[in-house]
Amino acid sequence: MIKAFITSFKLKNTYRVNSIIYSIKQLPIIRKILPNQLYKNKALKIIGNIISAIIEFCSIFIGKFLYILLMIVYMLAFYKTNQANTFLHIFTFLTFGGALLNTYMFNPTKDKYYAMIIMNMDAKKYTLSNYYYSMLKVIIGFLPFTIIFGIMMKVPLWICILMPIFVVMAKMIVSAYTLIDFKKHKIAKNENLPTKVLWVSIAILVAISYGLPIIGVTINQTIFLVIFIASAIAGLYSFFVIHRFTEYKKMYKQILTHENVYAVQNQTSTKAIKENVAKQIEFDNELTSNKKGFAYFHDLFVKRHKKILTKATKTQTVVILLIFAVVLMIVSFNKDFAVIINSILLTYLPYFVFIMYLLNRGTTVTQAMFMNCDHSMLTYRIYKTPKVILGLFKERLKTLIKVNLLPSTVIALGLPILLYITGGTDNPLNYFVLFISIIAMSIFFSVHYLVMYYLLQPYNVNTEMKSSTYKVVQVITYLVCYYMIKLKLPTISFGIATSAFCIIYSLVSLFLAYKYAPRTFKLRT
Amino acid sequence: MKLVIKNLKKNFEKKEVLKEINFEFEKGKIYGLLGRNGAGKTTLFNCLNEDLEIDSGEFYLVDTTSRKIEAEDIGYVLSTPNVPEFLTGREFLKFFIEINKNRIKDEKTIDEYFDFMKIEKDDRDKLLKDYSHGMKNKMQMLVNIIASPNILLLDEPLTSFDVVVAEEMKQMLRSIKKDHIIIFSTHIMELALDLCDEIVILNKGKLEEINKNNLNNEQFKNKIIEALKEE
């Protein structure tokens, strides 16, 4: 088993190192300097190995640290109950929820796929050795933080030490139960496709974790100990079930399908994504078009992709309307809240940059455009002529702006109304600026995503994302929008500046798209 | 009409894939392009279709005068068929006919095109995503020949067809060859010998025509294999 583990670890490390080198090779400029024989280069392999070791190390500790800090320690501030007991209480019930959602065993990962399906390794040896390793990582990863945070919250040390073991026991119980279920029904569970029952169970556990302490109910050390002992007994039994289970190969053949593996591991470069996007095509013989040429082509694309295009924004719009309704109700009853909302509307407009960023459907829509349309059409020479590229670009731009404007208009109208109801403003220009800047932001994001797609067309013929520049632009867009959350500026000046920026940016990028897209909009090689 | 390639070179970093391609392909003939795996057949097609930038050299069409190859001059049928899956076969054809309106001589009805390609009536209004691999291939072939491009690049197009359809496609290619320069890449020697008028091999980055002269089929086959084996 140890041999199997070492082999699988080496395999995982090799492709992790190769992926690191590949990512380095994808960076703009660097790409041109580095040769293809890179993967032979010893120095780079060493750097890759170091980065890989750092990733492995971080995977053990960072997630657990953040989990305990953000999900438990930060939350304690909201409760008046005993801190040590509340800490234990939230930890215990979240652990049950986590055990249901995150088992390691039923997660269709690429390393399992490579090892068991492609390399045909012994499934039992591979699974058990890696499973034990992952459980060991759980204990090692949790222990320092249950001790540090536990002691800070005045939880006795011996309980802090038991806590990580409890996590492992809970995970093993779920895994063993699922294995027994597989034995009976021969249907393997993919933990990334949770059932409705599972979601409801998790919702209940989360409600118990955070809800009960509000009404002053928490477990105490004795109850934790009882739960721990019960889990330990069930956990030990589960260990034997897991260890003696013989049908790993059969089970993983079901779990590790290409679609499952790639849907999780690689969001940007997959056959699976393509398959998923293809599923979004809605066909109805009635859905046809009277238009001509590429307008006809685009019109049918829009009509057959309602799920991706219009349905999502309609849902967004309904949710936004509901939020406005709730806020309107509260402000009409609660004057203090109205004052807060009023000042937010006059100083927190930058926050809406991030909201508009989150609402914009640009990434999803351009992805669908590629996967279901351009991926095939770009192999036809006629489709790459400037006339067709720019003709379609124009149609697509109109659609994308229209799609995104639906929820945006609700926000753009809702904010000035809310401002008026919560006490208004001395400067009436504020109403106008709120409206215009939200609309401008919406158009800006639509233009931004479409122009980036046309100028950097990031995919190759195998639907793999090949442009690191495109990724960099995405990350920068996110960071800039995220940074805006922290800004507190007068609505009037920020709104005018943003609107002006959006208009100028859109004009410049449209000019660039018209000038360069006929050259840049092609399949990557 | 001739497609002339002169001193065409294409490297991938230090690897010289196409070393110095010099060749003339004539209208009215089907050229069988043979080469070993990785010889650069698809690279050559991608260069001619301007999907890849060439490092040096040139290629152009010669009719009465020489001229640059335009997008409309080339139809490129890939081995893996690529069709927009959200359209029906009929809609895809309609779109292609509309955007090629000015170039189609003797335009037929959509159903006549389907008949020409032997696509069943029941399949014409189905989404392309529900087409079989072979049917997608037929659609790809059809839209590439509808506008009658001067050059047809066919990258192993018959591999996914069953024997009956493959035979139909061969007949179809023979029937249209008089109006086109057809370059047909394949790994299947029998297919090349059966369908093609000339055999061209791509070996060590160079194109070379293999003449049949007075050889019988078996001798000709051996000659081709020997040429391909040359290191």
Side-chain angles (χ1 to χ4, degrees):
Chain A
M1 199 185 289
I2 292 173
K3 216 171 139 194
F5 177 71
I6 293 170
T7 314
S8 65
F9 196 83
K10 273 188 192 159
L11 174 69
K12 187 171 155 188
N13 199 51
T14 308
Y15 76 71
R16 202 189 251 172
V17 169
N18 285 347
S19 322
I20 293 165
I21 297 176
Y22 178 81
S23 311
I24 298 172
K25 175 95 175 105
Q26 289 303 303
L27 292 171
I29 304 167
I30 293 177
R31 174 176 47 203
K32 295 203 170 123
I33 306 167
L34 295 174
N36 262 343
Q37 284 77 19
L38 213 59
Y39 298 94
K40 280 199 301 205
N41 188 309
K42 277 208 171 140
L44 263 174
K45 282 266 177 196
I46 293 169
I47 296 174
N49 269 305
I50 294 170
I51 299 175
S52 168
I54 294 170
I55 294 173
E56 184 73 10
F57 183 80
C58 292
S59 78
I60 298 179
F61 294 106
I62 289 191
K64 276 109 189 160
F65 165 73
L66 291 174
Y67 168 74
I68 296 189
L69 181 73
L70 301 176
M71 304 282 284
I72 307 176
V73 177
Y74 266 9
M75 303 306 283
L76 291 181
F78 295 99
Y79 304 110
K80 294 182 180 115
T81 39
N82 174 295
Q83 294 246 305
N85 286 347
T86 317
F87 181 81
L88 261 183
H89 176 92
I90 299 178
F91 184 87
T92 306
F93 289 101
L94 284 188
T95 296
F96 284 131
L100 290 173
L101 259 189
N102 181 8
T103 54
Y104 170 80
M105 192 170 289
F106 306 100
N107 188 5
T109 56
K110 230 184 196 174
D111 37 342
K112 286 180 196 153
Y113 178 73
Y114 285 152
M116 287 187 275
I117 305 293
I118 309 252
M119 305 282 196
N120 207 13
M121 281 182 76
D122 182 318
K124 183 169 178 176
K125 283 182 186 163
Y126 173 86
T127 307
L128 289 181
S129 59
N130 279 283
Y131 184 68
Y132 296 149
Y133 174 65
S134 73
M135 291 302 112
L136 188 68
K137 282 204 300 187
V138 169
I139 295 184
I140 296 172
F142 266 126
L143 198 60
F145 308 116
T146 50
I147 292 178
I148 296 168
F149 289 118
I151 287 177
M152 275 165 62
M153 300 301 139
K154 306 214 164 44
V155 177
L157 180 65
W158 62 274
I159 287 188
C160 297
I161 294 170
L162 291 184
M163 287 165 85
I165 302 169
F166 167 64
V167 177
V168 168
M169 293 300 163
K171 282 186 191 297
M172 287 210 291
I173 294 167
V174 175
S175 295
Y177 173 80
T178 317
L179 291 181
I180 293 168
D181 188 62
F182 175 76
K183 250 185 176 171
K184 265 193 214 156
H185 301 107
K186 303 292 173 212
I187 297 169
K189 182 193 134 181
N190 171 359
E191 75 173 29
N192 294 317
L193 301 171
T195 57
K196 276 181 190 156
V197 178
L198 195 72
W199 278 124
V200 173
S201 319
I202 287 162
I204 293 169
L205 286 164
V206 171
I208 295 173
S209 309
Y210 294 118
L212 287 186
I214 296 177
I215 52 169
V217 179
T218 62
I219 60 165
N220 56 25
Q221 290 168 21
T222 322
I223 299 175
F224 175 77
L225 197 61
V226 172
I227 295 174
F228 177 82
I229 292 169
S231 309
I233 294 167
L236 280 176
Y237 172 73
S238 304
F239 169 77
F240 287 113
V241 171
I242 292 166
H243 200 81
R244 286 184 188 150
F245 185 74
T246 50
E247 295 176 54
Y248 284 110
K249 183 92 190 177
K250 209 164 155 189
M251 184 181 83
Y252 278 117
K253 279 206 167 155
Q254 274 188 37
I255 299 178
L256 298 173
T257 60
H258 192 274
E259 192 178 0
N260 282 347
V261 173
Y262 283 85
V264 190
Q265 283 295 308
N266 202 340
Q267 292 289 340
T268 49
S269 67
T270 72
K271 209 174 124 199
I273 290 242
K274 185 157 167 37
E275 280 162 7
N276 285 335
V277 181
K279 279 185 200 150
Q280 308 287 323
I281 300 172
E282 287 170 279
F283 183 51
D284 178 349
N285 271 324
E286 305 293 308
L287 283 182
T288 181
S289 169
N290 300 321
K291 297 187 176 170
K292 293 248 173 246
F294 34 77
Y296 167 79
F297 181 76
H298 176 70
D299 197 30
L300 286 175
F301 179 84
V302 174
K303 286 180 173 159
R304 305 260 157 91
H305 290 83
K306 273 192 186 155
K307 262 190 215 165
I308 292 177
L309 290 159
T310 42
K311 275 191 191 159
T313 47
K314 278 183 187 158
T315 316
Q316 282 180 352
T317 312
V318 171
V319 173
I320 293 165
L321 278 170
L322 282 175
I323 294 173
F324 271 120
V326 171
V327 175
L328 277 176
M329 249 168 51
I330 301 175
V331 293
S332 47
F333 289 119
N334 187 333
K335 291 295 154 214
D336 294 341
F337 190 64
V339 173
I340 296 170
I341 292 289
N342 189 282
S343 78
I344 284 176
L345 288 171
L346 292 173
T347 47
Y348 275 101
L349 186 60
Y351 201 99
F352 280 87
V353 176
F354 191 64
I355 292 177
M356 298 314 291
Y357 164 82
L358 290 180
L359 287 177
N360 199 279
R361 306 276 306 149
T363 320
T364 321
V365 173
T366 50
Q367 196 181 46
M369 281 171 180
F370 180 78
M371 299 294 177
N372 280 0
C373 182
D374 299 337
H375 167 239
S376 48
M377 293 308 290
L378 279 173
T379 56
Y380 298 90
R381 186 80 188 263
I382 188 84
Y383 194 76
K384 292 184 269 187
T385 51
K387 193 181 140 205
V388 178
I389 288 182
L390 297 177
L392 254 180
F393 175 80
K394 218 161 69 187
E395 295 293 326
R396 287 174 165 184
L397 185 66
K398 280 193 267 179
T399 304
L400 196 57
I401 290 178
K402 215 165 81 185
V403 161
N404 284 311
L405 269 181
L406 181 69
S408 314
T409 311
V410 175
I411 299 180
L413 289 171
L415 292 184
I417 294 173
L418 208 56
L419 180 66
Y420 180 74
I421 289 176
T422 55
T425 162
D426 299 336
N427 188 349
L429 198 58
N430 272 313
Y431 297 113
F432 181 69
V433 168
L434 272 176
F435 177 80
I436 287 293
S437 51
I438 295 291
I439 298 289
M441 282 181 218
S442 174
I443 295 173
F444 159 77
F445 281 116
S446 303
V447 173
H448 174 67
Y449 283 117
L450 195 67
V451 169
M452 282 307 123
Y453 173 56
Y454 268 77
L455 290 183
L456 299 170
Q457 200 301 99
Y459 304 98
N460 70 2
V461 72
N462 300 320
T463 67
E464 292 164 331
M465 165 90 81
K466 283 285 177 190
S467 165
S468 33
T469 318
Y470 187 78
K471 284 184 209 159
V472 169
V473 173
Q474 278 185 319
V475 171
I476 292 175
T477 312
Y478 172 79
L479 289 177
V480 170
C481 297
Y482 187 75
Y483 172 76
M484 293 290 177
I485 288 180
K486 295 175 193 156
L487 288 185
K488 225 174 116 182
L489 291 167
T491 287
I492 210 147
S493 45
F494 180 78
I496 291 171
T498 309
S499 307
F501 170 78
C502 292
I503 292 164
I504 294 166
Y505 179 94
S506 301
L507 291 175
V508 170
S509 55
L510 285 177
F511 169 75
L512 291 176
Y514 268 79
K515 194 162 164 40
Y516 296 110
R519 262 189 282 157
T520 55
F521 193 59
K522 56 183 185 185
L523 287 172
R524 285 194 169 249
T525 47
Chain B
M1 180 180 287
K2 281 190 296 190
L3 160 66
V4 179
I5 307 176
K6 269 194 181 160
N7 303 325
L8 190 149
K9 281 186 190 172
K10 177 68 194 172
N11 302 339
F12 289 112
E13 290 184 2
K14 283 180 190 156
K15 192 177 178 200
E16 293 177 303
V17 179
L18 304 176
K19 276 184 190 159
E20 197 143 311
I21 304 279
N22 284 295
F23 210 88
E24 290 187 1
F25 294 96
E26 288 172 22
K27 185 170 164 178
K29 284 183 178 175
I30 302 178
Y31 290 85
L33 178 63
L34 294 172
R36 302 186 66 176
N37 290 332
K41 299 185 292 293
T42 305
T43 304
L44 175 64
F45 281 178
N46 285 337
C47 288
L48 296 176
N49 197 39
E50 291 182 27
D51 292 330
L52 282 176
E53 296 249 351
I54 58 172
D55 294 329
S56 63
E58 56 180 341
F59 51 92
Y60 48 85
L61 272 175
V62 181
D63 207 347
T64 41
T65 53
S66 323
R67 67 171 175 88
K68 194 180 170 295
I69 295 171
E70 302 293 338
E72 301 79 47
D73 289 315
I74 288 201
Y76 184 10
V77 178
L78 303 167
S79 53
T80 319
N82 280 308
V83 289
E85 304 201 316
F86 66 97
L87 295 181
T88 63
R90 187 180 299 281
E91 289 163 349
F92 187 37
L93 271 193
K94 181 176 183 284
F95 167 64
F96 245 89
I97 292 170
E98 278 172 7
I99 60 170
N100 285 295
K101 203 93 194 164
N102 307 330
R103 301 194 291 124
I104 303 177
K105 303 162 211 152
D106 183 24
E107 187 186 319
K108 298 181 180 70
T109 65
I110 291 179
D111 281 309
E112 279 172 330
Y113 284 119
F114 278 129
D115 291 339
F116 172 71
M117 215 35 146
K118 297 197 167 53
I119 291 173
E120 300 292 329
K121 285 206 164 61
D122 289 349
D123 294 326
R124 299 175 185 180
D125 294 293
K126 280 200 316 201
L127 278 189
L128 289 169
K129 83 177 170 111
D130 299 323
Y131 272 34
S132 68
H133 191 80
M135 270 162 58
K136 284 181 185 171
N137 231 329
K138 275 186 172 182
M139 282 305 294
Q140 193 192 206
M141 188 92 91
L142 181 55
V143 294
N144 269 297
I145 57 176
I146 262 183
S148 200
N150 288 314
I151 305 163
L152 258 179
L153 306 175
L154 309 173
D155 192 359
E156 297 183 50
L158 302 190
T159 14
S160 63
F161 290 133
D162 62 49
V163 280
V164 177
V165 179
E167 203 50 46
E168 286 170 7
M169 289 300 113
K170 279 197 263 178
Q171 288 303 338
M172 187 274 292
L173 288 173
R174 285 186 191 115
S175 73
I176 61 165
K177 76 174 182 183
K178 63 179 189 333
D179 300 317
H180 305 273
I181 299 164
I182 301 179
I183 312 175
F184 183 102
S185 101
T186 181
H187 282 299
I188 307 166
M189 175 91 80
E190 282 69 22
L191 180 61
L193 295 180
D194 179 28
L195 176 69
C196 305
D197 302 296
E198 306 286 345
I199 299 293
V200 183
I201 64 164
L202 180 58
N203 199 13
K204 292 188 282 181
K206 292 190 174 174
L207 272 187
E208 181 193 346
E209 187 169 345
I210 308 287
N211 291 316
K212 190 170 180 189
N213 297 330
N214 296 321
L215 302 173
N216 65 30
N217 264 359
E218 201 52 40
Q219 289 165 324
F220 189 38
K221 225 157 82 178
N222 289 335
K223 188 178 174 186
I224 294 167
I225 290 175
E226 284 311 312
L228 285 170
K229 272 187 188 166
E230 270 175 28
E231 285 299 326

